[in-house]
Amino acid sequence: MAASADEPLVITDKAEMREWSSSMRRQGRTIGLVPTMGYLHEGHLSLVREARRRGDVVVVSVYVNPGQFAPSEDLSTYPSDFEGDLRKLKAVPGGVEVVFHPHDLYDYGQRQAGDQVGGSGVNSDNVSVSCLEEKGLGHETWVRAERLEKGMCGKSRPVFFRGVATVVTKLFNIVEPDVAVFGKKDYQQWRIIRRLVRDLDFSIQVIGSEVMRDHDGLALSSRNVYLSPEEREKALSISRSLSRAKSAAEKGQVNCQNLKDSVIQAIQEAGGKIDYAEIVDQESLEVVEEIRSPVVFCVAAWFGKVRLIDNIEIDV
Amino acid sequence: MAASADEPLVITDKAEMREWSSSMRRQGRTIGLVPTMGYLHEGHLSLVREARRRGDVVVVSVYVNPGQFAPSEDLSTYPSDFEGDLRKLKAVPGGVEVVFHPHDLYDYGQRQAGDQVGGSGVNSDNVSVSCLEEKGLGHETWVRAERLEKGMCGKSRPVFFRGVATVVTKLFNIVEPDVAVFGKKDYQQWRIIRRLVRDLDFSIQVIGSEVMRDHDGLALSSRNVYLSPEEREKALSISRSLSRAKSAAEKGQVNCQNLKDSVIQAIQEAGGKIDYAEIVDQESLEVVEEIRSPVVFCVAAWFGKVRLIDNIEIDV
C-alpha cells in the first residue's frame, strides 16, 4: 500500500481516502486537492503544480461525474486514459501522493428502503435531469449556487453546475483538503466553487489557476482531441477574437455589444456555431453593458461536434 | 475564555468555533452537536443528553436561521431566552462544553463585488424566497434533498427544508462534529439530514431522538408557549388521535385513508385546521395506501395562530 516517492498511491475507496487524509492531518500536513475528470493535459498538470506549491501533500481525483452530464451529453464517450494519467502525474516535479479514483461516488452501499430503482419516477416534475438520475441510484441531495449557475454554460447545460457543485462538495467532505485548485478556463465553475465554499463555510482555500493555451493560443481541453486538424485551425478564431476584444477594450472600446459582435462574427466566419458570447462581472457573472469594472469575456462555441469554451479577463 | 466544568463556553465567532473543534480533534476527542434555534425545552435537553452519551464533548448551537423562514412566517416573533437556555444547559448532567451562538451565519465579511444589496432583484424568477433572500445578504448556495423536501411540511413551507439543509451543512462545516443529534418530532427534517449526510459524504453519524411529550401527550415544541390554555387542551386531539390510529393499525386496520379520516375528523372536531395528515414510508417519505412496511403518520395542524406538528411511527 505504501507509495514510493514518485509513485502515486491509487485509492478507490471513500473510507480509505478519508483515513489517509486523517492521518495526514494528524501529522500536521496540509492537503492540496485537484479535482479532475481524467484524460489529463498540460492544463491539469499546471493545477497540480499549483497544488504542489500550496499543500504539503497533493491528492488528484480522477472521476468522470455522471451527475453533471445530461443524458443527451457525452458521458459515454468522454475520453479516458488512466494509465496515461498516472504516468503524467508521476512526471510532475515532486509527483503527487494520492490519486483518488473511485469507481462510483454515488454508491451508498445497501440501498435504503424506498429508494427509486428505476429512473421513471424520479423528478417526474423536473424537466432537467442528469445521467445520475436517469440511472436512478437514489442520490437526491444537490448543491446549487442559484444565481451564478443560471447564465452562460448553465443555460445550455441546465444540470451541469448542480452536478459540479455537488460532486465537489462530496470530494471536499471525503478528502478534506486545505487547498483546492481549479482552472479559470472553467470560469463560471470556478466562481461557483468559490461561492459555495464561502456560503457553506467550508474551511478550504480555493485557488484559480490561469487558462493554459497551446502554442497557437487554443485553450487546452480534454475535448480538443475530438477536433479534426481543420476544425482545430478554425477553432483558433475563439482565442484570437477574444484577445483582440481585450486589446480593443484596453484601448477604450467599452461598449459590450460592439465587442461581442466582433467576436461572434469572427467565430461564425470561421464556421463555428455560437452557444454564447457574454461579457460579465468577474464576481457576480452578471451581464454588463459597458466595461466599467473588472469583467470576463466568456465564449462557448461548437466546431463540428465539439463544444469548446474559453474566456479572457479584462481588468480596466 | 476557559469554561468551568459546568459553565458552557459561549462562542459567537465561526473561526473561534472551528479552532475549538480542531483542538478537540487534535486531542482525539469526539464531538457531539445538537443544532437548535434556542428557547430550549425538555425535548431539546433530551437531545443534549443523547449527545452527551455519544460524544466526548458536546456543542449546542443556538441560532434562529432566517434561511428557513419565509417572509410571511414568524421569524420576527420566534421566541428566545438565551440566558434561560444557558441555565438549562448547565443543569444537564455533565453540562455542555460549548454553546455556539453566532450573530449572523450569513455574514461573509467584506461584500464581494456584484452581491445584491437589496432583495428586489434576487430570485426574480423564483416565487419562493426566504427571509435571508429578502434581506439580500448575498448568500446564494443552497442544499436540497429534492425528493424528500417536496411533501408534507415542504408543501406549505416551500423554503423551509432548503433553509434547514443549508444551515445544517454550514454548522457541520464549522463545528465538524462526529455525531449530530436531531429530534424525530421533526421527522421529515431528520430524514432529510440523514439523506444529505449520506449523499454529500459527510463523515458524521446522525442520531434521531424520540419525540418528547408533556405529561398529557402534547409533543414538546417551542411554539407551544403561544397556545392559550383552551387551545392547548384542544391540541391534545393530535397526539391522542395519532395514538389511536397506531393502535388501530396494530390491530389490523391497514387502510390509510380510513386511518387518516379518523385523525382528521378528531382534530377538526376539536377546532383544529389541518395542514396535512399523511401516512408515509419511513425512509422515502412516499405516501402509502396500505400499511405493509414501517410507516410514519405525520400531522400538521393549526390551533389558533399556532401551527403544530406531530408524528408517530407505526412498525407493522
Side-chain angles (χ1 to χ4, degrees):
Chain A
M1 197 62 83
S4 77
D6 51 359
E7 190 76 44
L9 174 65
V10 176
I11 296 180
T12 59
D13 181 69
K14 285 181 194 180
E16 197 186 332
M17 184 67 244
R18 256 190 235 290
E19 186 40 51
W20 187 88
S21 285
S22 297
S23 79
M24 288 302 121
R25 283 181 174 273
R26 282 194 297 271
Q27 295 170 36
R29 302 174 83 179
T30 59
I31 300 170
L33 170 67
V34 182
T36 82
M37 299 214 298
Y39 210 73
L40 305 180
H41 52 62
E42 188 51 36
H44 298 104
L45 300 180
S46 73
L47 308 183
V48 174
R49 289 191 295 270
E50 186 67 37
R52 192 76 275 170
R53 283 190 288 274
R54 305 268 181 172
D56 297 330
V57 292
V58 173
V59 176
V60 175
S61 64
V62 175
Y63 180 62
V64 181
N65 171 35
Q68 72 195 58
F69 287 82
S72 61
E73 292 176 335
D74 58 350
L75 173 61
S76 61
T77 59
Y78 197 85
S80 82
D81 174 19
F82 188 62
E83 291 309 314
D85 292 344
L86 286 180
R87 232 174 10 250
K88 288 170 192 165
L89 290 171
K90 198 172 148 180
V92 171
V96 307
E97 279 70 14
V98 167
V99 175
F100 180 46
H101 186 47
H103 173 63
D104 181 358
L105 275 184
Y106 303 90
D107 176 4
Y108 303 113
Q110 206 183 345
R111 202 170 289 278
Q112 292 185 25
D115 277 359
Q116 300 281 346
V117 187
S120 60
V122 180
N123 279 300
S124 53
D125 52 348
N126 190 341
V127 290
S128 308
V129 297
S130 72
C131 289
L132 192 65
E133 285 147 305
E134 205 186 33
K135 282 199 215 156
L137 298 180
H139 179 94
E140 66 160 286
T141 310
W142 299 95
V143 179
R144 312 188 75 143
E146 295 189 354
R147 273 183 282 144
L148 289 177
E149 73 170 27
K150 282 202 199 313
M152 300 199 290
C153 284
K155 271 192 193 149
S156 54
R157 307 186 70 187
V159 302
F160 180 65
F161 290 118
R162 184 186 74 154
V164 168
T166 302
V167 80
V168 167
T169 299
K170 288 164 72 71
L171 288 168
F172 284 174
N173 281 338
I174 296 166
V175 179
E176 295 193 68
D178 299 275
V179 180
V181 185
F182 292 83
K184 283 163 80 172
K185 166 157 174 290
D186 300 300
Y187 200 91
Q188 191 173 6
Q189 168 178 289
W190 173 59
R191 285 292 176 193
I192 287 171
I193 302 300
R194 276 171 62 96
R195 191 59 63 99
L196 88 81
V197 163
R198 184 199 76 166
D199 286 359
L200 300 184
D201 289 306
F202 276 103
S203 179
I204 297 170
Q205 190 187 6
V206 177
I207 305 294
S209 201
E210 298 305 322
V211 182
M212 289 289 287
R213 300 183 180 281
D214 221 332
H215 64 282
D216 53 12
L218 187 71
L220 297 186
S221 164
S222 300
R223 291 188 174 96
N224 289 353
V225 68
Y226 293 124
L227 292 167
S228 70
E230 296 74 27
E231 286 167 345
R232 198 184 182 297
E233 181 60 30
K234 292 172 178 174
L236 294 177
S237 58
I238 302 176
S239 55
R240 286 174 182 164
S241 62
L242 281 178
S243 183
R244 281 197 304 271
K246 180 178 172 123
S247 296
E250 285 168 348
K251 282 175 194 145
Q253 172 56 279
V254 295
N255 180 294
C256 293
Q257 196 55 56
N258 290 350
L259 292 166
K260 287 193 280 190
D261 285 347
S262 66
V263 164
I264 290 168
Q265 191 183 346
I267 292 171
Q268 286 177 338
E269 280 178 359
K273 189 168 154 258
I274 298 281
D275 180 358
Y276 64 79
E278 296 285 8
I279 300 173
V280 298
D281 180 273
Q282 285 184 12
E283 288 273 356
S284 70
L285 304 185
E286 279 171 21
V287 172
V288 299
E289 308 280 321
E290 281 203 343
I291 301 177
R292 298 277 171 227
S293 57
V295 296
V296 56
F297 195 154
C298 297
V299 168
W302 292 85
F303 282 85
K305 290 183 173 173
V306 187
R307 183 174 175 278
L308 300 172
I309 62 173
D310 199 351
N311 69 79
I312 199 161
E313 286 180 319
I314 304 174
D315 300 299
V316 296
Chain B
M1 196 61 80
S4 77
D6 51 358
E7 190 74 45
L9 174 65
V10 176
I11 297 180
T12 59
D13 182 68
K14 285 180 194 180
E16 197 186 330
M17 184 67 245
R18 256 189 234 292
E19 186 41 53
W20 186 88
S21 286
S22 298
S23 79
M24 288 302 121
R25 282 181 173 274
R26 282 194 298 272
Q27 296 170 35
R29 301 175 84 180
T30 59
I31 300 170
L33 170 67
V34 182
T36 81
M37 299 214 298
Y39 210 72
L40 305 181
H41 52 62
E42 187 51 35
H44 298 104
L45 300 180
S46 73
L47 308 183
V48 174
R49 289 191 295 269
E50 185 67 37
R52 192 75 274 168
R53 283 190 288 274
R54 305 269 182 172
D56 297 329
V57 293
V58 173
V59 177
V60 175
S61 64
V62 174
Y63 180 62
V64 180
N65 171 36
Q68 72 196 58
F69 287 82
S72 61
E73 292 176 334
D74 58 349
L75 173 63
S76 61
T77 58
Y78 197 86
S80 82
D81 174 18
F82 189 63
E83 291 309 314
D85 292 344
L86 286 180
R87 229 172 15 248
K88 288 170 192 165
L89 291 170
K90 197 173 149 179
V92 171
V96 308
E97 278 71 14
V98 167
V99 175
F100 180 47
H101 186 47
H103 173 63
D104 181 358
L105 275 184
Y106 303 90
D107 176 4
Y108 303 113
Q110 205 181 347
R111 203 170 288 280
Q112 291 185 22
D115 278 357
Q116 301 280 347
V117 186
S120 61
V122 180
N123 280 300
S124 54
D125 53 346
N126 190 341
V127 290
S128 309
V129 298
S130 71
C131 289
L132 192 64
E133 286 147 305
E134 206 186 32
K135 281 200 215 154
L137 298 179
H139 179 95
E140 67 161 286
T141 309
W142 299 94
V143 178
R144 312 188 74 144
E146 294 188 354
R147 274 184 282 145
L148 288 178
E149 73 171 27
K150 281 202 201 311
M152 300 198 290
C153 284
K155 271 192 193 149
S156 53
R157 306 186 70 187
V159 303
F160 180 65
F161 290 118
R162 185 186 76 153
V164 168
T166 302
V167 81
V168 167
T169 298
K170 289 164 72 72
L171 288 168
F172 284 174
N173 281 336
I174 296 165
V175 178
E176 295 194 65
D178 299 274
V179 180
V181 185
F182 292 83
K184 283 162 81 172
K185 168 160 174 287
D186 300 300
Y187 201 91
Q188 191 173 8
Q189 167 178 289
W190 173 58
R191 285 293 176 192
I192 287 172
I193 302 301
R194 275 170 62 97
R195 191 59 63 99
L196 89 82
V197 162
R198 185 199 76 167
D199 286 359
L200 300 183
D201 289 306
F202 276 103
S203 179
I204 297 170
Q205 190 188 4
V206 177
I207 305 294
S209 202
E210 299 304 323
V211 183
M212 288 290 287
R213 301 183 179 281
D214 221 330
H215 63 281
D216 53 11
L218 187 72
L220 297 185
S221 164
S222 300
R223 291 188 174 97
N224 288 354
V225 67
Y226 292 124
L227 292 168
S228 69
E230 296 73 28
E231 287 167 345
R232 199 183 180 296
E233 180 60 30
K234 292 172 178 173
L236 295 177
S237 58
I238 301 176
S239 55
R240 287 176 182 163
S241 62
L242 282 176
S243 183
R244 281 196 303 272
K246 181 181 172 119
S247 297
E250 285 169 350
K251 283 174 193 145
Q253 171 58 278
V254 296
N255 181 295
C256 293
Q257 197 54 57
N258 290 351
L259 292 167
K260 287 193 280 189
D261 285 347
S262 66
V263 163
I264 291 169
Q265 192 185 346
I267 293 172
Q268 287 177 338
E269 281 178 358
K273 189 167 153 260
I274 297 282
D275 180 358
Y276 63 79
E278 295 286 8
I279 299 173
V280 299
D281 180 272
Q282 285 185 11
E283 287 274 356
S284 70
L285 304 185
E286 280 171 20
V287 172
V288 300
E289 308 281 321
E290 281 203 343
I291 301 177
R292 298 276 171 228
S293 56
V295 296
V296 55
F297 194 154
C298 297
V299 167
W302 292 85
F303 282 85
K305 289 184 173 170
V306 188
R307 182 174 175 277
L308 299 173
I309 62 173
D310 198 350
N311 70 78
I312 199 161
E313 287 180 319
I314 304 175
D315 301 299
V316 295

